[in-house]
Amino acid sequence: MAKQPMLKFVDIGRNMPAKRDADARRADYHEIYAEFAAAKAAEQASRCSQCGVPYCQTHCPLHNNIPDWLNLTSTGRLEEAYELSQATNTFPEICGRICPQDRLCEGNCVIEQSGHGTVTIGAVEKYITDTAWENGWVKPAAPRRERPESVGIIGAGPGGLAAADTLRQMGFQVVVYDRYDRAGGLLTYGIPGFKLEKDVVMRRVKLLEAGGVTFRMNTEIGRDISFDALRDAHDAVLIATGVYKSRDLGGPGAGLGGIVAALDYLTASNRLNFGDEVAEIADGSLSAEGKNVVVIGGGDTAMDCVRTAVRQGAKSVKCLYRRDRANMPGSVRETQNAEEEGVEFVWLAAPKGFVGEGRVSGVRVAKMRLGAPDASGRRAPEEIEDADYTEPADLVIKALGFEPEALPELWESPDLGVTRWGTVKADFHSHATNLPGVYAAGDIVRGASLVVWAIRDGRDAAEAIAKYIAAKTAVAAE
């Protein structure tokens, strides 16, 4: 079997007559693209070997039944393929767009392992669900019977929304509380729109609302409502806040202007794309336009930052990472995309401090080499003496990962059990915390992780909460 070439989408609209009405040209583009996408989805789905050991499925955190919905897609049974995909994944259209398939399903495809190029599972998943939305196959929750018990969910990110959907399908009354003005968490404000279109997220939120989920936005636990009051108001509570506290970076000059946190930078950009007025963009403090931008970090958030800076019209964009390419934690695909867009990666480079008068003008960089493996098994970076240099920078973005906030203090709930890292202690299987009726799921338990894991945790926690409420109701009835 010949190795399949990488698929590239072309701008079909570029060859259309310029004088044609814009709406007509968009309609033509959509029709041509839809035919192209349908053909490619069927072609790729038909490449699935239907192997006896579906490694794609076992390496998916949700254990999606990938071979079967690929088979259905290859034969044109798209509605059935959607139903099968939706059965295990609350947000297939989102996972199809942002999951690191190269590390999960596609990276473990048998065809990929044999050297013939992976089946593009993520693209097919996206196509199936987008088609389902276009044809009206996606329906709001319609439980067989309504239940009187209510569940309060703290956090409207992927874990909280997955739990809300699962509980609502069972008939529970669900209220989601979130500090932001829009639901979605990092799906809305952390991931750039060029990777995950915001109308895709908002469409799913509206579907949850249509199915009976209540959202209380701009509500911060501990300020607008106490944690104890929230527990009293519901039969069970799920903590799905995620981790939003940015890891900081010290050193000389760390307090200079122009050194910003990744989440602040990405949130400002996403708000602007929503049409909000963003003062920090207007005054240039969170804009990369015309600047030499340096992003510090090697994960997916760093890739989001460098690619956003390119789109904002940065003069130059460099990414500093203290290890080499092979040890970079972010998606290989994302790194390749960034390089194709003009981002320069500076490997084995660690910041030691910053220079400038009032505002940053450069990053003091130490050159590194890889030494002995650390506790995780990765080779630890070591500084090369007398090899420092200054990297020019007008805007420095710290993308060093996220940590949990001190929830027991913020919520005045000192009894809530947390680990030494500040994550909430919860049973691995049931997601139950040490407080009766309180559960936790997603990054606030795992630490910063993937969206697909948050979805898995949210669904599992919802099942556990349902069992808890059923047991509690049975006891009360005796």
Side-chain angles (χ1 to χ4, degrees), residues 61-63 88 90 159 162-163 166-167 170 238 427-432 439-441 446 452-467:
L62 291 163
H63 300 311
T88 53
T90 313
T166 305
L167 289 162
M170 298 176 187
L238 174 66
D427 182 87
F428 181 76
H429 297 288
S430 71
H431 296 272
Y439 293 73
R446 290 181 178 273
V452 66
W453 275 114
I455 296 171
R456 165 71 184 272
D457 289 350
R459 291 170 66 98
D460 288 350
E463 296 283 353
I465 289 170
K467 291 178 181 178

Side-chain angles (χ1 to χ4, degrees), residues 369-454:
R369 61 171 169 251
L370 294 180
D374 60 16
S376 67
R378 298 171 73 194
R379 293 178 65 189
E382 299 174 348
E383 182 178 344
I384 300 174
E385 293 184 10
D386 302 321
D388 297 0
Y389 71 98
T390 299
E391 188 73 64
D394 307 306
L395 176 65
V396 176
I397 302 171
K398 301 176 292 183
L400 303 167
F402 303 99
E403 297 176 341
E405 297 166 293
L407 296 187
E409 296 175 20
L410 290 174
W411 295 353
E412 296 182 347
S413 182
D415 293 337
L416 177 63
V418 294
T419 68
R420 62 189 178 93
W421 299 281
T423 52
V424 173
K425 281 185 179 179
D427 182 87
F428 181 76
H429 297 288
S430 71
H431 296 272
T433 71
N434 64 308
L435 300 179
V438 177
Y439 293 73
D443 286 4
I444 193 58
V445 177
R446 290 181 178 273
S449 187
L450 301 174
V451 166
V452 66
W453 275 114

Side-chain angles (χ1 to χ4, degrees), residues 260-281:
V260 303
L263 188 56
D264 293 342
Y265 175 69
L266 294 172
T267 298
S269 177
N270 280 315
R271 283 195 177 280
L272 187 69
N273 292 333
F274 270 112
D276 296 352
E277 292 185 7
V278 184
E280 295 85 356
I281 296 285

Side-chain angles (χ1 to χ4, degrees), residues 97-103 191-192 194-196 298-308 311 325 328-341 343 345:
R97 285 167 164 83
I98 65 172
C99 258
Q101 287 96 2
D102 56 325
R103 284 186 271 163
I191 299 174
F194 58 80
K195 282 176 59 176
L196 177 59
D300 290 338
T301 299
M303 299 307 99
D304 291 343
C305 290
V306 295
R307 298 183 69 195
T308 297
R311 284 158 177 76
R325 179 191 287 270
M328 194 172 187
S331 166
V332 173
R333 189 177 297 172
E334 283 293 300
T335 305
Q336 292 173 341
N337 289 338
E339 287 180 318
E340 289 173 0
E341 292 169 3
V343 175
F345 286 84

Side-chain angles (χ1 to χ4, degrees), residues 78-79 127-139:
L78 294 181
E79 186 170 3
Y127 171 73
I128 292 170
T129 319
D130 286 353
T131 302
W133 280 99
E134 290 172 7
N135 286 279
W137 302 336
V138 186
K139 304 292 185 182

Side-chain angles (χ1 to χ4, degrees), residues 211-290:
V213 175
T214 300
F215 287 89
R216 301 271 172 83
M217 307 309 297
N218 296 305
T219 302
E220 188 163 345
I221 310 305
R223 183 193 67 187
D224 301 301
I225 182 174
S226 72
F227 184 58
D228 288 341
L230 190 138
R231 291 182 65 191
D232 290 341
H234 299 284
D235 294 278
V237 169
L238 174 66
I239 302 171
T241 57
V243 290
Y244 282 85
K245 181 182 176 183
S246 297
R247 288 177 182 158
D248 211 350
L249 187 65
L256 289 170
I259 303 174
V260 303
L263 188 56
D264 293 342
Y265 175 69
L266 294 172
T267 298
S269 177
N270 280 315
R271 283 195 177 280
L272 187 69
N273 292 333
F274 270 112
D276 296 352
E277 292 185 7
V278 184
E280 295 85 356
I281 296 285
D283 65 21
S285 58
L286 290 178
S287 173
E289 185 176 2

Side-chain angles (χ1 to χ4, degrees), residues 2-8 40 43-44 47 116-118 120:
K3 187 169 183 176
Q4 295 291 324
M6 183 178 293
L7 298 178
K8 289 186 180 293
K40 284 300 176 186
E43 173 193 318
Q44 282 294 310
R47 294 182 62 233
H116 297 290
T118 185
T120 56

